[in-house]
Amino acid sequence: MTDLFLPLIFLLGPYLLLFYMSAEIYLRNPSSIKHRLTALLVISISFLFLGEFLFNVLPYETALLAARYIKLPSAFTTMTIGLYFVRLFTYTKISRRYQVLALTPLAGLIPLYIPIPGFEISLQKQSYWYIEVYSPAMIAVLMITGCYAVLLFLVQVIKALRSSGPRLRVLREKDRYRVMLRGAVLTCAWSVLTLFVFRPYAEHVPILPPGAMSAYSVLFLMYAIRHVMVNYDFLSTTGRRYEMLFKLSRNGIALVDQDGYMAETNPAFIRMLGITDQRDASWKGRRIYSFITIEDTRLYDWVNEKFTSKEPFHAEVHVTNFLGESYIMETDVEYIEVDGQIWSFMMTKDITQQKDSESKLEFLAYHDPLTGLGNRRKFQEKLGEYLGQMNPETDKLAVLLIDLDQFKWINDTLGHSAGDELLRMASDRLQSIIPGKACVSRMGGDEFIVLLPSLSDTDEALDCAYRIIRALREPFLFQNSRFQISASIGISIAPRDGTEVELIVGSADSAMYEAKREGRNQFHLFRPAQKANAEKALKLASCLQRALEEEEFSLHYQPQIDIRTDRVIGVEALLRWRSEEIGMVSPGDFIPLAEETGAIVPIGEWVIRTALSEGRRWISPDREDFVISVNLSARQLKDPAFAAKLRSMLVLYQFPPANLCLEITESTMIGDVEQTLKVCEEIVDMGVALAIDDFGTGFSSLGLLSRFPFGTIKIDKSLIRDIETSSKDAAVIETIIRLSQHLEMDVLAEGVETEAQLVILKRLGCHEVQGYLCGRPSEPDAIDRLLKLDFAQGSDSAG
C-alpha cells in the first residue's frame, strides 16, 4: 500500500498540479502564442513527475521504458521550450542563430532513442523508490545540456533586465525579470543541492523520492511564472484587459439593478457622482438618484420610462450631483442578465466642456466677434426663414443696408483700435433704436444690415432709416474727443424687390450706393433702374479684367497753355477705353471701378509706360521744359516699391525725370499719410515733379500743402465753372494763387472753357491753363500737329 500511496502524493500530485496550471494558462488567452508556449513549457515539466511516477509503480521492464522515453525526453524538451520561452518573455526577436542555440539541448534525445554503447540507463530499488542509474556518458550529457540551458536562460534574463530601462513595454517589467531571475537561481541551487548533497544521503530519508528531488527544483520556476502572471499582468486574461479598461476609462461606467441601485462603478463614475475620495464606498447599495438629479423633469420621466421598459437608449442629460456641481452627461444604456436578473449597464461621459466649446463655435459661426451682433451668415439664414414663411400676397418685409460714411477716415487716421471702438458704439446705438421685432447684423467692415419683418407698409422702413441716420449723426465720445459720422442707407422691400436672399440684399446694396453717389447721409429706396445699373457695373467689371490683355486702352493728351506766351508747355495724359463688347466707356464709369477692384494698379503702370514711350518724341532742345503729366491712384502710392519701378521705367524709355509730372488728388493722401509722403519724397528726389490735382475740393488741402513736396497746384474745374458770376469762387481762386506764390509753387487752372474765364484768370495772376478752350484731349498724332503749328507760330513771333 505504501509503495502506491507515496508516489501518488509525491509524484502524481505535482504532475496533476502542473497539468492544471498548464490548462489554466492556456485558457487565459488561447489565441496568444505566449500563453500557448508557457502552457507547453509547464506540461513538459509535468512529464518529469509523470515519468517518475510511472517507473515507481510499473513493473521493472515497463518502468525502464518510462524512464527512457518519458522522464528523460521531457527534461531535454523542457530545456529547449524554456529557452524559447525566455526569448518571448523578454520581448526579444528570435533570430536564426538563437533558434540553433535553443534547439541544441534536443541533441540529448539521440542516445535515448538510438542505442549507443556507453549511454545505458538502469533502475535500482532504494527503500520505497526506484532511482535511475546512468552511465558516465549519460551523466555527462545531462550535466552538459543542463548547464548549457541554465546558463543561456540566465544570460537572456540578465541581458533583458539590464536593457529594459529606457524601453519599458509594460508597467513594472523590471520587476518581472527580477522575479524570474530569482526563480531560475533557486531552481539551479535546488538542483545542485539534490544532486550532490541530498542524493548520497537519500537512504537516510526513505520516505522522499530521491530521483524526483531534482525535479522539484522546477517548481521554483513555476512559482515565479505564477507570481508574475498574477501580480505583474504577465499572461493576462481577456477579463483582466476588460477590468483595466473598466478601471482606467475616463468615461463613467456603472452596473445598476432594476430598482436603480448601483452594484459596480468605476472611478470616473464615482467622480461624476461627486465623490472625491476613491476609497469612499458610500455609494454601494444606494440608488443612483440619491447622488444626481436630472434637471429637466420631462427628460427624467423619459429616462425612467426607458429603464422600466428595458429599452436601450442614448441621451444627453443635464444633471446636478450631490455637491451641487452641474454638468451635461452623455449617457448610453444597455441591459445584461446577471443571475436571472436584468441589470442596466450604463456608460456616461461628461461633455460639459465639449458642449461649451460647441456653443462658442456656433456663436462665432453666427455672430460678429467685435460687436456681438449676428453676422452675414446668420442674417442670410434669418432672412431666408422669413422669406420662406411669408405670404407674397399679404406680407412684406424690408432690408436696410447701412454704410458708415466717414469710418475709413477715422480708421486710417486714428488707428484700427479707434475704428473698432466706433463700430462697437455704432452697433450699440443701432440696437437701441430698431424695433423689437427687427434684427440687426454686421455684414463686415463698416456695413450693418437691418431686417424689418412683418411690415404694415413701406413707411415703417423709411421711418426706421430716418431714425438710424439721425441717431448715427449724434457725436461719438471716445479717446477724450467727439467724433461725428454719417450713414448711407439702401432699402429694399420684399416681395416687391425680390423673393430670394441674394436678390433682396443686392437690391439694398444698389440703393445704398445710390445714396452715396447722391451725397451720403441719406437713405434711398431701391428702384428697378438701379438693378440695371448694377448689372451694367457687373458687366463692366468683367470686361475691365481683360481690357489690358485685349489692348483696348489708349491715351489721349490734353494741352496745357502758358497764357502769357500762348505756347503749349505740356500735356496731361488721359486714359481712354474702347471695349469691343461695350463700346466707348467713360473714365468716370470705369476709373472708380478699377480703383475698387484693384485693377487700377496694372492699368496705372501701363499708363506711365505708354506716356513715357509716346511723350519722349515731344521733348527736344526747342521744348526742354515740356512736361508730360500723369495721374496716380491711391493704390499705386501705397506700394513701397513704386519709386523703384518708376525709376526703372524712366531708364528704360530714356525719359528725362524733369519732364514728368505726377498728379495726385487730396483724397489720395488721406489714407496712409506717412506712406504716401515717403513715396512722394522718393519721386521728387529722382527729379520728377509733383502736382496736387483737383485742389479746392477737399477739407485737408492746406494742411497737406505744407508737408508734401508739390511743385504745382491744379485748381479744380468746379471753381472755374462759375468764376464769371460768382465773386466767392473768384476770391477763392485769388487766394489759392497768392498762397501758391508764397509757397513758390506754380498754378494751373483746369476746365477753362470760355474766353471770359481766361481773361479773369489772367487778371488774377494765373498763367497756366488747361481746358476745352485751349484744346480737347487728342491722340498723339494730333498733338504732333499741334506742336508743329505751335513751333511755327513761336518762330514767326520771334522773327
Side-chain angles (χ1 to χ4, degrees):
M1 182 68 180
T2 304
D3 291 344
L4 181 61
F5 181 72
L6 290 178
L8 286 174
I9 295 176
F10 290 105
L11 299 176
L12 189 61
Y15 164 73
L16 294 176
L17 177 65
L18 291 172
F19 186 86
Y20 170 79
M21 183 178 176
S22 172
E24 179 192 22
I25 291 172
Y26 175 78
L27 293 175
R28 286 171 74 90
N29 192 351
S31 63
S32 169
I33 186 173
K34 191 180 296 183
H35 284 70
R36 295 199 299 266
L37 186 65
T38 307
L40 185 62
L41 174 66
V42 177
I43 199 69
S44 177
I45 292 173
S46 72
F47 274 86
L48 291 173
F49 293 95
L50 179 62
E52 187 82 21
F53 172 76
L54 290 175
F55 71 66
N56 273 284
V57 298
L58 294 175
Y60 181 83
E61 294 298 331
T62 309
L64 193 61
L65 294 176
R68 178 178 286 273
Y69 296 113
I70 296 179
K71 180 180 178 181
L72 286 179
S74 71
F76 293 118
T77 55
T78 297
M79 294 177 196
T80 293
I81 297 172
L83 293 177
Y84 277 100
F85 165 80
V86 74
R87 200 72 168 181
L88 280 179
F89 178 78
T90 56
Y91 304 103
T92 308
K93 183 179 179 181
I94 299 178
S95 63
R96 290 185 178 179
R97 178 185 177 187
Y98 187 84
Q99 288 180 358
V100 174
L101 295 175
L103 291 173
T104 300
L106 292 180
L109 297 174
I110 298 174
L112 295 177
Y113 294 105
I114 301 175
I116 301 176
F119 290 89
E120 292 82 8
I121 301 173
S122 61
L123 296 177
Q124 179 181 338
K125 188 73 172 181
Q126 185 174 355
S127 300
Y128 303 110
W129 308 98
Y130 277 110
I131 61 172
E132 307 102 311
V133 178
Y134 305 118
S135 65
M138 198 68 212
I139 294 175
V141 169
L142 287 169
M143 292 295 295
I144 292 172
T145 55
C147 292
Y148 170 83
V150 169
L151 182 61
L152 191 57
F153 186 95
L154 292 175
V155 167
Q156 189 65 30
V157 174
I158 294 171
K159 180 181 177 183
L161 183 63
R162 294 181 62 185
S163 62
S164 64
R167 57 173 187 81
L168 289 180
R169 297 172 186 262
V170 294
L171 205 60
R172 298 173 295 180
E173 184 176 326
K174 277 192 174 183
D175 292 334
R176 289 184 186 177
Y177 296 158
R178 291 190 182 101
V179 172
M180 290 296 293
L181 184 60
R182 293 189 191 108
V185 170
L186 285 174
T187 296
C188 294
W190 181 264
S191 298
V192 171
L193 286 173
T194 55
L195 289 173
F196 298 103
V197 177
F198 176 76
R199 191 157 184 168
Y201 300 97
E203 60 184 14
H204 300 294
V205 190
I207 196 171
L208 296 177
M213 293 306 294
S214 60
Y216 284 139
S217 64
V218 298
L219 295 180
F220 290 108
L221 188 60
M222 294 303 99
Y223 174 80
I225 293 176
R226 177 75 182 180
H227 185 79
V228 297
M229 185 172 69
V230 173
N231 295 285
Y232 298 112
D233 289 328
F234 176 64
L235 304 178
S236 61
T237 63
T238 305
R240 174 58 176 160
R241 297 178 186 180
Y242 286 111
E243 179 185 346
M244 293 182 67
L245 179 63
F246 180 83
K247 181 179 178 180
L248 299 177
S249 174
R250 294 186 179 182
N251 294 340
I253 304 173
L255 194 63
V256 182
D257 71 8
Q258 57 188 6
D259 296 319
Y261 291 92
M262 295 178 288
E264 294 182 34
T265 64
N266 71 339
F269 193 85
I270 292 175
R271 286 193 295 270
M272 290 184 185
L273 296 179
I275 300 174
T276 55
D277 186 358
Q278 294 295 315
R279 294 170 297 180
D280 186 352
S282 61
W283 57 270
K284 290 186 177 180
R286 295 178 62 181
R287 297 193 70 190
I288 189 171
Y289 288 137
S290 64
F291 288 92
I292 59 174
T293 304
I294 299 179
E295 299 173 1
D296 188 337
T297 56
R298 288 179 299 177
L299 184 60
Y300 173 82
D301 294 336
W302 181 83
V303 169
N304 279 337
E305 182 182 340
K306 294 293 183 182
F307 273 122
T308 303
S309 62
K310 299 297 182 286
E311 183 179 346
F313 67 88
H314 170 88
E316 293 181 1
V317 188
H318 289 256
V319 301
T320 302
N321 64 20
F322 85 104
L323 292 180
E325 299 169 336
S326 181
Y327 53 90
I328 304 173
M329 186 169 68
E330 184 180 44
T331 305
D332 289 277
V333 174
E334 264 289 357
Y335 301 91
I336 59 175
E337 184 177 349
V338 180
D339 297 330
Q341 183 181 357
I342 302 299
W343 292 71
S344 303
F345 186 84
M346 180 185 300
M347 179 170 286
T348 62
K349 180 180 181 181
D350 182 1
I351 58 172
T352 308
Q353 290 186 351
Q354 175 185 332
K355 286 296 180 181
D356 288 344
S357 299
E358 289 176 359
S359 297
K360 291 177 182 178
L361 289 174
E362 184 176 3
F363 182 85
L364 292 175
Y366 286 95
H367 290 80
D368 171 45
L370 178 64
T371 63
L373 297 175
N375 58 11
R376 179 188 297 270
R377 179 181 179 183
K378 183 174 182 179
F379 176 83
Q380 289 178 334
E381 291 188 6
K382 195 80 171 177
L383 177 57
E385 290 177 10
Y386 277 111
L387 290 173
Q389 297 169 2
M390 70 183 299
N391 185 339
E393 301 296 330
T394 59
D395 299 337
K396 65 174 63 176
L397 60 80
V399 169
L400 285 68
L401 186 60
I402 307 163
D403 185 85
L404 305 183
D405 294 328
Q406 284 80 35
F407 174 74
K408 188 176 187 304
W409 178 83
I410 291 177
N411 207 36
D412 291 343
T413 305
L414 302 181
H416 290 287
S417 59
D420 290 346
E421 180 63 23
L422 177 62
L423 289 173
R424 281 190 287 265
M425 296 175 72
S427 70
D428 292 341
R429 196 170 291 183
L430 285 171
Q431 292 182 87
S432 68
I433 62 172
I434 65 170
K437 62 183 179 180
C439 66
V440 58
S441 302
R442 183 184 174 207
M443 296 293 278
D446 58 351
E447 284 189 351
F448 297 87
I449 195 163
V450 175
L451 172 62
L452 296 175
S454 307
L455 289 182
S456 57
D457 55 51
T458 304
D459 289 342
E460 285 187 42
L462 301 180
D463 179 65
C464 182
Y466 173 74
R467 286 186 286 108
I468 290 173
I469 285 180
R470 187 174 60 183
L472 292 178
R473 278 193 61 80
E474 291 294 322
F476 291 90
L477 304 177
F478 61 95
Q479 294 188 356
N480 299 319
S481 301
R482 293 163 58 93
F483 296 91
Q484 191 168 7
I485 62 173
S486 62
S488 300
I489 303 177
I491 307 171
S492 61
I493 307 293
R496 186 194 71 181
D497 300 327
T499 56
E500 297 179 359
V501 172
E502 293 296 333
L503 189 57
I504 295 295
V505 175
S507 298
D509 189 58
S510 298
M512 184 267 291
Y513 276 104
E514 186 72 17
K516 280 186 171 294
R517 281 193 292 268
E518 294 187 9
R520 305 174 187 269
N521 191 34
Q522 56 185 298
F523 58 84
H524 268 270
L525 269 171
F526 175 76
R527 299 190 300 270
Q530 293 171 356
K531 182 179 180 181
N533 292 337
E535 292 175 350
K536 178 182 177 183
L538 182 62
K539 184 175 183 180
L540 198 65
S542 177
C543 293
L544 187 62
Q545 293 296 323
R546 57 178 182 271
L548 269 179
E549 298 175 4
E550 302 295 334
E551 298 182 353
E552 295 177 350
F553 289 118
S554 63
L555 290 185
H556 284 199
Y557 299 89
Q558 186 171 32
Q560 298 170 339
I561 308 297
D562 187 334
I563 58 178
R564 293 170 296 186
T565 62
D566 290 332
R567 294 289 306 275
V568 179
I569 57 174
V571 292
E572 179 181 0
L574 300 172
L575 184 61
R576 296 292 181 262
W577 178 25
R578 180 180 294 276
S579 170
E580 291 185 4
E581 185 174 346
I582 302 174
M584 202 67 190
V585 185
S586 167
D589 291 334
F590 75 81
I591 293 295
L593 186 62
E595 287 275 8
E596 184 177 344
T597 61
I600 194 67
V601 174
I603 292 174
E605 291 184 6
W606 179 88
V607 169
I608 294 175
R609 290 197 304 269
T610 305
L612 297 180
S613 174
E614 294 179 344
R616 179 66 184 87
R617 63 189 186 223
W618 299 325
I619 300 170
S620 64
D622 299 318
R623 284 192 294 270
E624 292 181 350
D625 299 330
F626 192 84
V627 175
I628 310 295
S629 296
V630 178
N631 291 285
L632 286 186
S633 71
R635 288 182 178 265
Q636 286 175 286
L637 287 173
K638 289 179 181 178
D639 182 5
F642 174 76
K645 294 178 182 177
L646 178 63
R647 182 180 288 107
S648 65
M649 286 188 281
L650 290 170
V651 173
L652 176 63
Y653 295 105
Q654 297 182 354
F655 194 96
N659 295 98
L660 177 64
C661 178
L662 298 180
E663 300 180 4
I664 62 176
T665 61
E666 296 166 299
S667 59
T668 301
M669 298 178 285
I670 291 175
D672 190 343
V673 175
E674 297 304 323
Q675 171 63 24
T676 304
L677 178 60
K678 180 181 178 182
V679 174
C680 288
E681 288 174 345
E682 291 176 347
I683 291 171
V684 172
D685 288 344
M686 71 176 71
V688 175
L690 204 62
I692 180 168
D693 197 12
D694 299 337
F695 189 81
T697 60
F699 60 88
S700 58
S701 303
L702 296 179
L704 295 174
L705 274 179
S706 61
R707 296 189 63 189
F708 280 77
F710 295 116
T712 301
I713 296 176
K714 297 187 72 174
I715 303 174
D716 187 69
K717 60 185 177 182
S718 62
L719 294 175
I720 306 298
R721 184 185 305 117
D722 300 323
I723 193 174
E724 301 172 51
T725 57
S726 173
S727 58
K728 290 184 178 180
D729 286 348
V732 170
I733 293 173
E734 184 177 11
T735 301
I736 293 173
I737 292 171
R738 289 180 180 177
L739 176 64
S740 66
Q741 291 171 349
H742 285 296
L743 296 176
E744 298 182 349
M745 295 182 185
D746 295 329
V747 177
L748 188 147
E750 296 182 292
V752 179
E753 298 181 354
T754 66
E755 288 287 349
Q757 291 171 345
L758 187 63
V759 170
I760 295 173
L761 288 170
K762 186 180 292 186
R763 176 170 53 81
L764 293 176
C766 179
H767 305 310
E768 298 175 2
V769 297
Q770 175 182 337
Y772 285 173
L773 179 64
C774 308
R776 292 179 175 272
S778 305
E779 295 180 353
D781 292 342
I783 298 298
D784 288 339
R785 294 192 294 271
L786 175 63
L787 292 180
K788 288 180 180 179
L789 179 61
D790 181 68
F791 178 75
Q793 291 176 348
S795 300
D796 292 344
S797 299

